[in-house]
Each structure stands twice: as C-alpha cells, then as structure tokens.
Amino acid sequence: MSAGASGGAAATAPAASAVRTVLERCRAAGVQVVAIDGPSGSGKSTLADALVRAWPGRAPELVRLDDVYPGWTGLERVGAEVLRELVARRARGAVGTWRTWDWAAGRVGSVEHSRPGHPLIIEGCGAFAATSSVEAVAIWVEASPPVRKRRALARDAGAFDPYWDLWERQWRRYVARTVPARRADVRVRVAGA
C-alpha cells in the first residue's frame, strides 16, 4: 500500500480505534513507514504519540516536522528535503539525516541521524510529501477550523499567534497543489474539544 493510494478507511472514533486501524494496515502491508498529515491543530501529534506507545516490538522513530520546518515560511519545502535526506536514504538502506530548526535562534540547529531497519513515523503538516516515493501508511487527521485554531494557538502559548495567517496560507497552497487528503489510507476526524 503506497502513500499515494486512495479510498482510505474513515475513522471517526477515538484515537485508540485509529491506532488499531493503522497498526492493522501496517501489518497487512508489511509497511514500516507511517505519515501523519493534516492541518495545524488537528491532533496529529497526539495520534503519533499514541501510535508510538501502541506499536508492537521496537518502538518507531518519530520525526516531528515541527522540529524540522526552517522557520515560519518553511512548510512548502520541508517535504522534499525530508524525503530526499531522510526517507529515501533509509529506503535505500543508508543512514538518513534531517536538520532541526532552532526556533529561539531562528536558524538551523543540529543534524540528526536515523538508521534504517526500524519503523519510522513522520508527523506534521506536509508529511505526505515527505513520504511520497516510499511505501507508507498515510493518515489524514482533520478537525473543524475553529477547533484547530483554538488548539494550535493554545498549545504554543502565544508564539504561534502572529504567524497563524502566514502558516494557513502555506497550508492552503500545499493542499491545493498536492490534494493530500485523497492519498490517505486512514482518515481521522477529531471532534470539537
């Protein structure tokens, strides 16, 4: 099952049900890469954490794109970079890398390394672009715009507030260009909190 597959299963139940669905899909397809995509504030990180906890055997490595975006204007280019430097290298059996972003200093942080041979979860806005050329289970997480905005702005204690509109414009361009929801193998709809 590739990240480009369409006609995914809809999961509207709590995260436990979505986690079971994802694990079943990974097991059935023999897939060790999971991409969790969707708009900001939709619940991707919460689902990723639950999936890591529930994963049988060796826990997957979790790469959060929030740690990788090169600043507030970096959404559109992060997918290609993570695909090339991390995901594709691991798929070839080589060590993958990704550069962290130091949000406080506004510059590139450390270079992280990822060895192939164990499960990998890529979580964040643009995750489907970061896994587009490898076998992956693609999870689309969504919530209503008011719920998303409230959750995203509360999470970052005001740091995100001045950048919300800028990020949303990038997000809308990514969605218009790639239509990521169509590629989902599993869809998770988060109810209002």
Side-chain angles (χ1 to χ4, degrees):
M1 174 181 328
S2 72
S6 61
T12 56
S17 175
V19 167
R20 280 192 304 276
T21 300
V22 172
L23 291 175
E24 288 168 7
R25 291 215 176 222
C26 289
R27 204 171 16 255
V31 172
Q32 294 288 305
V33 178
V34 175
I36 304 175
D37 204 334
S40 185
S42 61
K44 298 177 302 296
S45 295
T46 301
L47 181 59
D49 291 340
L51 189 55
V52 167
R53 286 191 303 272
W55 198 277
R58 182 176 181 182
E61 179 175 3
L62 174 58
V63 175
R64 296 186 192 279
L65 294 181
D66 281 353
D67 296 333
V68 184
Y69 302 120
W72 290 108
T73 59
L75 187 151
E76 295 192 61
R77 71 178 209 226
V78 79
E81 290 175 8
V82 170
L83 176 61
R84 182 181 61 251
E85 302 298 325
L86 172 63
V87 177
R89 285 183 181 178
R90 280 180 43 118
R92 292 190 309 266
V95 173
T97 62
W98 75 96
R99 290 178 175 84
T100 64
W101 182 257
D102 182 336
W103 287 94
R107 61 178 170 77
V108 173
S110 62
V111 175
E112 302 295 324
H113 296 83
S114 175
R115 299 201 178 283
H118 60 276
L120 175 66
I121 298 173
I122 305 289
E123 174 268 317
C125 299
F128 288 1
T131 58
S132 61
S133 68
V134 299
E135 289 288 316
V137 171
I139 307 168
W140 181 258
V141 183
E142 59 189 5
S144 71
V147 167
R148 292 191 313 97
K149 186 172 184 178
R150 184 177 70 245
R151 291 171 64 176
L153 297 183
R155 172 187 64 209
D156 292 323
F160 194 174
D161 294 19
Y163 302 100
W164 175 262
D165 292 334
L166 172 65
W167 191 261
E168 279 293 297
R169 284 191 300 274
Q170 290 176 86
W171 172 252
R172 286 191 295 271
R173 284 192 301 267
Y174 166 70
V175 169
R177 190 179 72 251
T178 67
V179 194
R182 283 196 210 161
R183 297 168 41 192
D185 298 306
V186 178
R187 291 173 178 252
V188 178
R189 174 81 177 156
V190 176

